[in-house]
Amino acid sequence: MSSDPYLSVKALTKYIKKKFDADPHLRDVYVKGELSNVKIHTSGHIYFTLKDNSARLPGVMFSASAKSVKFKPESGMTVLIRGDVTVYEASGQYQLYAQSMQVDGIGDYYLAFEQLKEKLAKEGVFDATHKKHLPRFPKRIAVVTAQTGAAVRDIIITLHRRYPLANVVLYPTLVQGVGAVQSIVQSIQAANKDQFDVLIVGRGGGSIEDLWAFNEEAVARAIFSSEIPIISAIGHETDTTIADFVSDLRAPTPTAAAELAVPSQTELLERISSYRSQMYRTVSSAVSQQKQALNRLTSSYPLAYPERLYRPFIERVERATDSLQRESLQHLNRSKEYYRSLDQRLKSRMPLQQIRQSDSDVTELERRLDFQIEQLLKNHSRQLSSAIRTLDALSPLKIMDRGYSIPYIEGSVVKSVEQVTVGDSLTLAMQDGTIQATVNEINPTPKGDGNDD
C-alpha cells in the first residue's frame, strides 16, 4: 500500500508553525529595529514592519497590548520590542507579535508628552486668544481634585482664609490610576453644568506616572471646552503637564491656585481704608476751596456795597418819576382850568339852546381831553420803561458779565490814569470776585492820537 509523499501547503505551514511555537528562543524575544509602514487600525491593532539595514520583519500589536503604549508609534522611530515570533498560517509567513514597545534612547512618557503637545499646539489649543479672564471677586468656586489629601486641604483652607465670601464646592475626583482620566473629564463637565465663576483643577505631587492622567488628550479637550475659567495646580512647581498649557492660568502649587483665584480680604480692607482717607481729604479740600471762594465773593466790593453801584441810577429813576407825575398833574390842572373858564364864558354869552349845545361840546372836549391825558401817560410810561432798560444795560454788573472790571482806589471808582500813580494799590471788581493789584506802569494815551480824520 503506497502513500502520497506530498504534503499540502496547509499541513506544511502547520508543521512549520509548530516548530516556531516549540522553539523557546522564539517565545520571548527582544528585538530592536526601525518602524516602517505603521498602520493603526480603528480596532486599536497596530500593524508595522520592523527593519534594519539587512532584513525586514512584519509585526503586529493587538489592541490589548497597544493600550499600554503611551506614545503614538510612527514610521522612522527606532523601538525596542518584546514579543514572540510565530507563523501566520493564512499568508504562510512568520511575523513578530509585540507585547510591549518602547522608544530607543528616549522615555515613552516624554515622547507621548511631546507628541500630544505638538498636536494641540498646531490646533491652536494653547493660544492666548482662547484664555479666559478670571473674575476679580468670584462668588462660587469649584474644585476638581481628590477628596482626601494635602491638595484639597490646602486649597480649601487658603480660599476660606483669604476670601470667606466665596462659596467653595468640591467635586471628588480620581487623579491617578485606572479610571482617572474619565473621572477628571466627568468632574469638569459636571462643574460646567452649574454656575461657577472659577474652576480649580489640581492634585499634589508625584511621579510622572502619577501625574500622567493630566497629560491625556481627553483631559486637555475637557479643559479647553470649559466655559468656566480654569486654574491648573498639578504637582509641584517643577511639574508641567498638558493640562497646564491648556488651562487659562497655571499655578505652581494647589495653595498658589487658591491665592490666584481670590483676592485677600486683608488687602481689600486696607485698600478700602486708604480710599476712605483719600476721599475724606479730597472732599475736605474741595469744601475748603469753595469756602475761600465764597468768602472772596462776599467780601468783594460789588457784593459788600451793592447799593453804591445802583444808587445813582435809582435816584435818576425816582427823579424822572417825580418829574413825570408833576408835569402830568400840571398839564391836567391847566386843561381843567382852561375848559372851566371856557364853559363860564359860553354860558354867560349864549342863549339856553346854545348853552345846551355848548354843554354837549364841552362833554366831547372833556372826553377828548381824558383820551389825550391817557395817551400822554402811556407815552411817558413807555419812555420810563425804555430808560430803565437802558439803565439796566448800562449797569456795571452787566458790563462785568461781559468780561470787564471796575477799578477802585479806597472805594472810589478810577476813571482816568491821572487818578493813579505808580505803586498805588487797586481793587479790581470782577463778575465773580475782586483782585488786588499794584500799579507798576502807567501809559497815558497821547493827545491827538485818536481816530479823528
Side-chain angles (χ1 to χ4, degrees):
M1 184 176 179
S2 61
S3 61
D4 188 357
Y6 296 97
L7 297 173
S8 65
V9 174
K10 179 178 180 181
L12 181 58
T13 304
K14 280 189 175 183
Y15 176 78
I16 297 174
K17 184 177 187 307
K18 288 181 180 180
K19 287 292 186 181
F20 273 77
D21 294 341
D23 191 339
H25 297 289
L26 299 179
R27 290 179 185 174
D28 192 14
V29 298
Y30 294 82
V31 187
K32 175 181 178 180
E34 179 184 337
L35 292 176
S36 66
N37 298 324
V38 178
K39 295 180 182 179
I40 302 177
H41 197 268
T42 55
S43 61
H45 305 328
I46 303 174
Y47 300 93
F48 58 90
T49 298
L50 192 65
K51 65 177 184 177
D52 57 17
N53 294 333
S54 304
R56 302 169 68 89
L57 175 64
V60 62
M61 191 175 200
F62 295 121
S63 59
S65 300
K67 291 179 180 179
S68 64
V69 180
K70 298 300 180 183
F71 62 94
K72 179 183 178 182
E74 297 177 353
S75 297
M77 289 183 178
T78 300
V79 294
L80 304 175
I81 296 178
R82 175 177 175 270
D84 58 89
V85 180
T86 186
V87 174
Y88 180 50
E89 296 183 48
S91 61
Q93 63 180 8
Y94 70 93
Q95 60 184 19
L96 177 64
Y97 290 83
Q99 300 297 325
S100 66
M101 182 184 297
Q102 297 180 358
V103 179
D104 183 32
I106 189 172
D108 296 348
Y109 287 103
Y110 177 78
L111 179 60
F113 176 88
E114 291 298 328
Q115 285 179 336
L116 181 57
K117 179 181 176 182
E118 181 180 1
K119 175 183 177 181
L120 297 178
K122 289 181 179 179
E123 295 181 15
V125 174
F126 305 149
D127 292 351
T129 55
H130 299 303
K131 304 297 183 184
K132 294 177 284 293
H133 295 288
L134 271 66
R136 190 175 181 183
F137 303 106
K139 296 180 180 179
R140 303 190 71 229
I141 301 173
V143 179
V144 173
T145 188
Q147 189 171 7
T148 59
V152 65
R153 183 178 65 253
D154 293 343
I155 291 174
I156 294 178
I157 291 176
T158 303
L159 289 175
H160 287 315
R161 172 177 55 82
R162 285 177 59 86
Y163 196 69
L165 294 177
N167 180 27
V168 182
V169 178
L170 173 65
Y171 284 82
T173 307
L174 292 175
V175 293
Q176 72 180 66
V178 179
V181 174
Q182 183 180 3
S183 179
I184 296 170
V185 171
Q186 289 177 348
S187 294
I188 294 175
Q189 293 174 345
N192 272 268
K193 294 179 181 179
D194 206 342
Q195 299 295 325
F196 288 101
D197 300 308
V198 179
L199 173 58
I200 298 176
V201 177
R203 59 151 294 155
S207 65
I208 188 172
E209 291 83 5
D210 295 335
L211 304 178
W212 191 253
F214 295 93
N215 286 319
E216 293 288 351
E217 184 174 356
V219 173
R221 299 289 183 188
I223 294 175
F224 183 75
S225 301
S226 172
E227 296 181 359
I228 306 172
I230 291 182
I231 303 176
S232 64
I234 301 161
H236 300 296
E237 185 172 357
T238 55
D239 297 321
T240 304
T241 64
I242 296 295
D244 293 324
F245 291 107
V246 186
S247 298
D248 300 293
L249 187 64
R250 186 231 176 194
T253 62
T255 301
E259 293 176 348
L260 292 173
V262 296
S264 169
Q265 65 172 348
T266 303
E267 295 176 359
L268 290 177
L269 292 174
E270 292 176 353
R271 189 177 303 174
I272 291 173
S273 178
S274 175
Y275 287 158
R276 182 187 296 112
S277 300
Q278 182 179 355
M279 182 176 63
Y280 177 79
R281 290 193 299 269
T282 302
V283 173
S284 298
S285 176
V287 171
S288 178
Q289 291 177 3
Q290 294 299 323
K291 284 184 177 180
Q292 293 176 5
L294 179 61
N295 291 335
R296 287 196 301 270
L297 289 174
T298 54
S299 61
S300 64
Y301 188 84
L303 294 179
Y305 309 98
E307 69 280 358
R308 295 187 181 183
L309 293 175
Y310 55 80
R311 182 187 300 165
F313 302 98
I314 294 177
E315 293 176 354
R316 290 175 60 182
V317 171
E318 291 178 350
R319 286 196 297 270
T321 303
D322 293 341
S323 176
L324 175 63
Q325 293 177 350
R326 188 171 55 254
E327 291 180 0
S328 300
L329 183 59
Q330 291 175 357
H331 181 77
L332 179 61
N333 291 334
R334 286 196 299 271
S335 299
K336 287 183 177 181
E337 184 63 29
Y338 170 77
Y339 286 109
R340 187 182 299 109
S341 174
L342 179 61
D343 181 55
Q344 292 176 356
R345 288 198 303 270
L346 290 174
K347 287 182 178 180
S348 62
R349 296 179 182 180
M350 293 181 181
L352 181 59
Q353 184 176 1
Q354 291 180 348
I355 290 175
R356 290 175 178 175
Q357 180 64 37
S358 176
D359 288 341
S360 177
D361 293 340
V362 169
T363 301
E364 177 63 22
L365 289 174
E366 288 179 350
R367 187 187 63 78
R368 292 182 180 180
L369 176 61
D370 291 339
F371 176 76
Q372 290 179 357
I373 291 174
E374 183 180 355
Q375 292 299 316
L376 181 61
L377 290 175
K378 288 183 178 179
N379 290 337
H380 282 288
S381 178
R382 284 194 295 268
Q383 292 175 3
L384 178 61
S385 298
S386 177
I388 291 174
R389 287 194 299 270
T390 302
L391 291 176
D392 183 64
L394 296 176
S395 171
L397 295 177
K398 292 290 185 179
I399 295 174
M400 286 189 288
D401 283 342
R402 296 196 296 269
Y404 293 95
S405 61
I406 302 175
Y408 295 88
I409 293 181
E410 297 181 354
S412 299
V413 178
V414 178
K415 300 180 181 180
S416 172
V417 296
E418 296 179 355
Q419 295 180 244
V420 298
T421 59
V422 175
D424 285 350
S425 296
L426 295 181
T427 298
L428 300 180
M430 312 292 289
Q431 183 266 340
D432 56 351
T434 60
I435 298 175
Q436 300 296 326
T438 302
V439 178
N440 295 324
E441 184 177 352
I442 301 174
N443 297 308
T445 304
K447 296 181 179 181
D449 288 351
N451 295 326
D452 297 337
D453 292 339

